[in-house]
Amino acid sequence: MEKKVLYSAVQPSGNLTIGNYTGAIRNWVKLQSEYECYYAIANMHAITVRQDPAELRRRTVELLALYIACGVSPEHCTLYVQSQVPQHAELTWVLNTMTYVGEMERMTQFKDKSAKHAENINMGLMDYPVLMAADILLYQTDIVPVGVDQRQHLEIARDIAARFNNRFGETFRLPEAYTLKEGAKIGSLQEPTKKMSKSDENPNASVYLSDDKDTVIRKFRRAVTDSDNRIVASEDKPGVTNLLNIYSAFAGCTVAEAEKQFEGKGYGDFKLAVGETVADVLAPVQAEQKRLLADKAYLNQVLKEGADRAYKTARKTLSKVYRKIGFYQGE
């Protein structure tokens, strides 16, 4: 039986957090045997915010090495850099003509990023969801793993695809959301009601996959809790609940099991245990990433093979689109 197609991508900008690991990358490893997976390094999306060119190139390779170090297998999925498959940009242009300005202006992320980068409200920032739609639709994607913050983008991708299909006939599959429950929401250590972010200005708010053990433990020691000393998950204890979610995600247990384990313990012991558990999971990933980064020839080969595979699928979809809209491609 033919496997369903799954698409996901991460930007090579900023340091990835443990939230990116539990919410995206670790789940990619589980999904790669069940689906035909396309995993992209979304460098085209990254430049909607100003980037240092040398740093962007470096982070692209580091992200690839991190994917593989976490267990994402180039033999079992298509790993590639978005900009190396030109059909992403080409399909975006076609889909732009099927997308309304009002739709883009209403997108939550456009409003948020415009407020955050008021000096650089560029068309790429507004057009971000159309490029994301092209990313997904190029591969006739069935499944897209999404968090709450990306669900709006998937909905607009479905709307654009349906609009195109209605006008030109069946061309694109309508992708479905794949909601990841385990570890899908990891909050900031300083503002636990907010999502942990790789762009947080407070260095103590996020735990990065590149942090060494001492740094991880120090950040958890400084994590916000509350005056009540009970280690239980509840709405009125967002800090403790966040730490329990993190511990359960990295220790491989349920929140209820974690509550029982720390019953009667103080916050100091609890925070130390969470920090050590996270650091112990990150250590082998960091060591393998370092080993892979020393082998640039291998990483370049992985990207070349991934881009070749992605190109073949993307080209097939784009040719179909061009034929449908009336672009001359030779007889």
Side-chain angles (χ1 to χ4, degrees):
M1 192 171 108
E2 194 176 315
K3 287 182 178 179
K4 287 189 173 182
V5 175
L6 180 145
Y7 183 90
S8 195
V10 173
Q11 292 186 39
S13 56
N15 289 313
L16 293 190
T17 70
I18 57 172
N20 298 123
Y21 174 69
T22 60
I25 299 174
R26 191 167 69 173
N27 286 294
W28 288 8
V29 178
K30 297 174 187 174
L31 296 167
Q32 65 187 357
S33 58
E34 191 178 340
Y35 296 96
E36 183 182 341
C37 296
Y38 290 85
Y39 294 142
I41 297 172
N43 59 342
M44 292 169 69
H45 285 290
I47 63 169
T48 57
V49 174
R50 288 177 186 142
Q51 303 288 341
D52 175 84
E55 195 172 290
L56 182 60
R57 277 190 292 270
R58 176 177 60 79
R59 288 190 187 280
T60 297
V61 179
E62 286 177 352
L63 185 55
L64 172 68
L66 183 63
Y67 282 171
I68 300 171
C70 289
V72 177
S73 167
E75 284 77 42
H76 292 95
C77 60
T78 300
L79 269 172
Y80 72 100
V81 176
Q82 185 186 28
S83 64
Q84 293 184 333
V85 181
Q87 288 83 5
H88 285 263
E90 295 176 71
L91 182 58
T92 299
W93 180 251
V94 175
L95 298 183
N96 275 334
T97 67
M98 309 293 298
T99 308
Y100 304 117
V101 173
E103 291 176 311
M104 297 297 97
E105 289 176 333
R106 288 193 295 273
M107 299 300 285
T108 303
Q109 195 172 80
F110 173 66
K111 292 177 186 175
D112 292 347
K113 285 198 173 184
S114 295
K116 195 171 182 180
H117 303 278
E119 79 295 344
N120 184 31
I121 304 175
N122 58 75
M123 284 307 300
L125 206 58
M126 180 182 277
D127 209 29
Y128 186 105
V130 185
L131 175 57
M132 186 179 283
D135 297 339
I136 295 165
L137 300 177
L138 270 176
Y139 301 98
Q140 300 297 343
T141 300
D142 298 290
I143 302 290
V144 182
V146 288
V148 175
D149 58 332
Q150 292 292 351
R151 188 171 284 274
Q152 191 184 30
H153 284 160
L154 181 60
E155 286 304 316
I156 200 71
R158 286 173 55 87
D159 289 346
I160 293 168
R163 198 173 292 153
F164 189 99
N165 289 349
N166 287 337
R167 184 170 172 187
F168 295 106
E170 286 302 312
T171 308
F172 299 116
R173 289 183 196 169
L174 299 190
E176 299 285 345
Y178 184 102
T179 304
L180 303 162
K181 292 175 185 174
E182 291 291 326
K185 185 169 173 52
I186 286 185
S188 159
L189 296 188
Q190 297 301 309
E191 296 179 82
T193 55
K194 292 184 178 178
K195 182 181 174 183
M196 185 178 285
S197 169
K198 61 183 180 178
S199 58
D200 201 306
E201 291 175 6
N202 185 341
N204 293 312
S206 302
V207 177
Y208 302 114
L209 299 187
S210 56
D211 284 343
D212 61 31
K213 187 167 187 173
D214 289 345
T215 303
V216 171
I217 290 171
R218 186 179 74 250
K219 287 181 177 181
F220 276 107
R221 283 193 188 280
R222 294 175 179 174
V224 168
T225 47
D226 53 47
S227 55
D228 176 354
N229 232 12
R230 293 175 307 122
I231 300 172
V232 293
S234 68
E235 280 187 24
D236 61 340
K237 294 169 72 69
V240 173
T241 302
N242 186 39
L243 293 179
L244 282 167
N245 285 336
I246 292 170
Y247 181 80
S248 67
F250 280 83
C253 65
T254 65
V255 169
E257 288 167 342
E259 286 176 329
K260 195 169 183 181
Q261 187 177 336
F262 293 105
E263 192 175 350
K265 299 270 179 73
Y267 282 163
D269 290 341
F270 173 47
K271 289 179 179 181
L272 177 62
V274 179
E276 287 183 333
T277 301
V278 170
D280 288 347
V281 171
L282 297 185
V285 171
Q286 291 167 349
E288 178 63 5
Q289 183 192 30
K290 186 177 178 182
R291 186 192 71 78
L292 287 163
L293 285 170
D295 191 353
K296 288 291 196 303
Y298 168 71
L299 294 176
N300 286 336
Q301 184 63 25
V302 168
L303 288 181
K304 183 182 182 306
E305 290 175 0
D308 286 347
R309 285 201 299 272
Y311 180 92
K312 285 175 185 171
T313 304
R315 183 68 225 167
K316 192 182 296 182
T317 298
L318 190 69
S319 293
K320 189 175 182 182
V321 168
Y322 278 1
R323 187 171 65 254
K324 290 284 182 81
I325 65 174
F327 280 5
Y328 183 76
Q329 300 179 82
E331 297 301 332

